[in-house]
Amino acid sequence: MTMPITLKDIAIHPVVEQEGAWFDVMKFFPTLTRELLDDNRSWLMPTLVDPANNCLVICVQSFVIKTPHHNILIDACVGNHKPRPARPFWNMLNSDRFENGLAALGLTVNDIDYVMCTHLHTDHVGWNTRLDNGRWVPTFANAKYIMADRELEHWTAREKENPSSVPWITDSVLPIVEAKRAEIVKSDFAFSDTVQLLPTPGHTIDHFSVLVGGAGEDALITGDMIHSPLQGKYPELGMMADYDSAQAGKTRRTVFERFCDQPTIMCLSHFPMPSTARVRRWGDGYKFVALGG
Ligand SMILES: [Zn+2]
């Protein structure tokens, strides 16, 4: 259990669903060469790449932002009872870890006021819905779900064309729209004075990150604009599920250049625990330094 991040009267807490080494690092980053991996082994292993199977160590987590007015959940992990035949390690999960994580913060699913979906991939929308008498209904019964307009359009069209290729849209996104719980916004939407969406496109068509707090005391919840510190050192390194890897690389350079001289805390959704760091220049790229380090 890591400490929350406190920014004046706002707290950010991780809620972890899983951590594991499931994806072969060479497949995960299709343009990664054996030579480049070998050059970086000393700092990647064993924490970031598992030497036993050469797989990237990945955390699947949400973040809860507690403001004086709202409880906001950023992303919703893989979820329970979801058929994911293409991803055996995420198929038909039945785990109480996510809800226990909320309970540890004194929260139930009914206490979440907003769910913000940084993007609509399977490991970010799962807890959006739960099974109720054979139907998928909103898990967070009192919440509005914030989604970017072009992101939702893109995935809705994909689902219409070939539903079996995107089962998570069918069971975890469209039921939210049908229940009229979706609040569809631009990816630069200002939610409040202290919670602001930041467009970070490339990994998906209209991906956003979430900037929390005020000048000099803030944090950026990245979502999937980055998956591994290796993409800090080499910002142009694309990952296998990118919509547009070139654009994702530009996004990483723009964001890291903006924050690398700032005290801004990065909450790096897929990095192994503690998943929080500051970004600093490192040669032609960027590194992530421990808080307090
Ligand atoms: Zn992801």
Side-chain angles (χ1 to χ4, degrees), residues 119 123-124 224 227 270:
H119 65 301
D123 54 322
H124 296 261
D224 278 9
H227 289 77
H270 279 310

Side-chain angles (χ1 to χ4, degrees), residues 99-282:
E99 284 165 294
N100 286 345
L102 282 181
L105 307 179
L107 299 176
T108 73
V109 291
N110 296 328
D111 296 317
I112 299 298
D113 303 301
Y114 289 91
V115 179
M116 293 185 173
C117 305
T118 63
H119 65 301
L120 302 180
H121 274 166
T122 187
D123 54 322
H124 296 261
V125 297
W127 283 99
N128 279 2
T129 58
R130 65 179 177 86
L131 213 44
D132 178 38
N133 277 324
R135 286 179 55 242
W136 296 106
V137 300
T139 303
F140 307 99
N142 300 312
K144 284 276 187 190
Y145 291 67
I146 293 182
M147 303 179 191
D149 55 358
R150 290 191 306 124
E151 184 81 10
L152 181 61
E153 262 167 46
H154 172 85
W155 291 105
T156 303
R158 285 272 309 265
E159 203 268 353
K160 206 169 175 187
E161 214 170 87
N162 185 1
S164 63
S165 70
V166 290
W168 65 92
I169 301 298
T170 314
D171 62 39
S172 305
V173 175
L174 296 184
I176 299 302
V177 177
E178 279 148 26
K180 303 207 181 324
R181 294 306 186 77
E183 197 165 308
I184 299 161
V185 302
K186 296 285 175 200
S187 54
D188 64 353
F189 174 62
F191 175 83
S192 71
D193 290 350
T194 50
V195 180
Q196 164 81 51
L197 307 192
L198 183 70
T200 43
H203 178 58
T204 62
I205 191 166
D206 204 11
H207 185 285
F208 63 77
S209 303
V210 184
L211 189 58
V212 182
E217 204 169 356
D218 58 2
L220 183 73
I221 298 167
T222 60
D224 278 9
M225 60 151 287
I226 182 167
H227 289 77
S228 162
L230 196 57
Q231 293 174 295
K233 187 166 183 192
Y234 307 106
E236 284 71 32
L237 187 65
M239 73 78 75
M240 60 184 182
D242 284 344
Y243 173 76
D244 181 340
S245 279
Q247 188 184 37
K250 283 190 195 125
T251 288
R252 279 188 287 278
R253 280 216 181 265
T254 305
V255 169
F256 298 150
E257 199 52 38
R258 171 173 169 184
F259 292 107
C260 69
D261 298 318
Q262 301 295 324
T264 306
I265 295 169
M266 314 295 279
C267 300
L268 301 138
S269 306
H270 279 310
F271 286 24
M273 283 281 124
S275 321
T276 48
R278 291 193 172 86
V279 62
R280 295 292 176 256
R281 253 183 218 101
W282 188 16

